[in-house]
Amino acid sequence: MQTCLASLENAQYGVAFSSGLGATTTLMHLVNPGERVVLIADVYGGVYRMTSQVYEPKGYLFEYVPAEEFPNLRGRLDERTRIVWIESPSNPLLNVVDIRAAADAAHDAGALVVVDNTFATPYLQRPLALGADAVLHSTTKYLGGHSDVVGGFVATNDPTVAERLRFLQKSLGAVPGPFDCWLVLRGVKTLAVRMREHCANARRVAAFLDGHPAVERVLYPGLESHPGHEIARRQMRDFGGMISFLATSDEEAVELVARTRIWKLAESLGGVESLIEHPARMTHASTADAPFAAPGNLVRLSVGIEAADDLIEDLADALAAGRVATRVAGVGETGDSRSA
Ligand SMILES: Cc1ncc(COP(=O)(O)O)c(C=O)c1O
């Protein structure tokens, strides 16, 4: 499996782990206490939980840079910075970072660049070709593709990094089981077909949500209005299957995610079935005290490969029910009912 996944990233070396977080913690062992890691601010909540609650108390230094400040990344790096950690598109805000520019800045400062390519997959984006030193995957997601496996993976072309990761893989022990490796190998056989469907469906769902009266803003790099759209066009083949959007209120976001029927309310992502979730209470609850806490009215969608018409109809019904509920509540509160 290591050889197969490395080849997808056009990498010479691949190291497999028991989970995406297993891969993450192993990469963090390239860093020593007193050294810095600079991360994109809206990093996956589980990574933030690890950096803030496991490694920071041990003396590791972390700085979180918002995506819009990445053009000024050089100013945030110093001689203690060991890794620049990027998610592009990021989880959950779907921010996009210019990987080549970030790699140039990081290398000038003597730091390694790690790109978490879980959202894009190697079908849509090859970070090593853009200058990254290591690419990380939660194979739990698109590479597995069927929500029935937990795994992680790191690809690199750097022999020193590869050798150290192999040693750490063996020494720390976050290794995958053989059946899980088999499931991932089965999954990648359909990666290209699945990704084309995820992208096509996401494009239609994003277009439906964009401008919907019950949606404040859609975060999808495929929309021309997205601030990272041009960069995404340059460094990705297509825009992926993840969409986030802002509902009209925190309460409506919480209720909306429980109202859909085809979109299942669940964490995780990247499987063939569509999922909906509320990051502030679920995947990103651990960012609640961070300056970049997931907004309370944020809803995240993992767009599956079902019929796009069905997915849109389900969302349309769920959003409409919210508007009716708001109107009814409004009538109750103000007594301002002219028609009834
Ligand atoms: C972008 C990203 N990276 C890493 C992880 C961690 O992966 P795992 O759940 O396999 O530990 C996740 C999990 O949601 C993720 O979304």
Side-chain angles (χ1 to χ4, degrees):
M1 184 187 70
Q2 298 188 145
T3 309
C4 172
L5 296 195
S7 75
L8 294 182
E9 289 287 359
N10 249 338
Q12 251 180 300
Y13 311 99
V15 192
F17 297 97
S18 53
S19 65
L21 284 179
T24 304
T25 198
T26 306
L27 278 166
M28 288 297 170
H29 278 76
L30 298 177
V31 181
N32 297 312
E35 293 181 334
R36 287 173 83 233
V37 179
V38 172
L39 303 96
I40 186 168
D42 61 308
V43 75
Y44 163 55
V47 171
Y48 178 69
R49 185 177 54 218
M50 180 192 292
T51 54
S52 60
Q53 296 184 48
V54 179
Y55 288 109
E56 210 175 294
K58 294 184 190 300
Y60 294 72
L61 307 170
F62 298 98
E63 186 171 342
Y64 305 91
V65 176
E68 62 273 16
E69 289 174 30
F70 257 72
N72 304 318
L73 181 64
R74 279 172 202 278
R76 310 295 280 270
L77 308 176
D78 63 19
E79 66 291 342
R80 287 175 308 168
T81 311
R82 186 86 174 91
I83 292 180
V84 172
W85 191 281
I86 295 169
E87 282 178 21
S88 185
S90 65
N91 182 6
L93 295 178
L94 279 301
N95 279 312
V96 170
V97 164
D98 184 333
I99 295 173
R100 190 179 292 283
D104 287 346
H107 292 157
D108 286 350
L112 294 172
V113 174
V114 174
V115 175
D116 184 332
N117 207 24
T118 299
F119 270 30
T121 82
Y123 182 73
L124 300 179
Q125 176 171 271
R126 302 259 170 79
L128 296 178
L130 297 166
D133 300 286
V135 174
L136 175 139
H137 284 282
S138 164
T139 58
T140 315
K141 313 296 177 349
Y142 288 104
L143 295 185
H146 298 75
S147 307
D148 54 9
V149 65
V150 175
F153 184 73
V154 177
T156 182
N157 281 323
D158 183 325
T160 313
V161 170
E163 193 187 334
R164 186 70 187 154
L165 287 178
R166 284 264 156 78
F167 172 78
L168 290 170
Q169 178 199 40
K170 178 173 68 182
S171 306
L172 297 173
V175 290
F179 184 60
D180 289 346
C181 294
W182 182 86
L183 283 172
V184 173
L185 281 174
R186 177 219 49 187
V188 295
K189 287 180 189 172
T190 55
L191 179 66
V193 201
R194 286 187 284 110
M195 289 315 293
R196 287 198 287 272
E197 284 302 307
H198 285 300
C199 291
N201 277 357
R203 210 184 329 276
R204 287 208 40 209
V205 170
F208 161 74
L209 292 171
D210 196 28
H212 190 288
V215 173
E216 280 197 355
R217 201 170 139 215
V218 182
L219 311 174
Y220 182 60
L223 292 173
E224 280 178 25
S225 56
H226 187 283
H229 178 68
E230 278 312 313
I231 298 170
R233 273 173 79 94
R234 271 206 314 274
Q235 68 188 20
M236 297 175 73
R237 183 203 289 249
D238 205 334
F239 302 101
M242 298 300 297
I243 301 173
S244 290
F245 67 91
L246 298 172
T248 44
S249 68
D250 296 12
E251 296 72 31
E252 168 56 8
V254 171
E255 286 169 23
L256 177 70
V257 298
R259 245 185 245 134
T260 50
R261 287 165 302 144
I262 299 176
W263 301 81
K264 295 287 176 237
L265 175 55
E267 298 197 358
S268 203
L269 61 105
V272 290
E273 55 289 294
S274 292
L275 303 181
I276 189 167
E277 67 119 1
H278 183 238
R281 293 205 318 178
M282 297 170 67
T283 50
H284 291 70
S286 57
T287 65
D289 298 328
F292 50 89
N297 61 339
L298 188 75
V299 174
R300 194 190 73 180
L301 302 175
S302 174
V303 184
I305 65 168
E306 305 93 333
D309 287 342
D310 291 348
L311 294 175
I312 289 170
E313 191 180 312
D314 192 21
L315 276 179
D317 289 349
L319 288 164
R323 282 167 65 75
V324 169
T326 308
R327 275 202 297 275
V328 170
V331 168
E333 275 161 24
T334 62
D336 180 26
S337 170
R338 276 179 289 268
S339 59

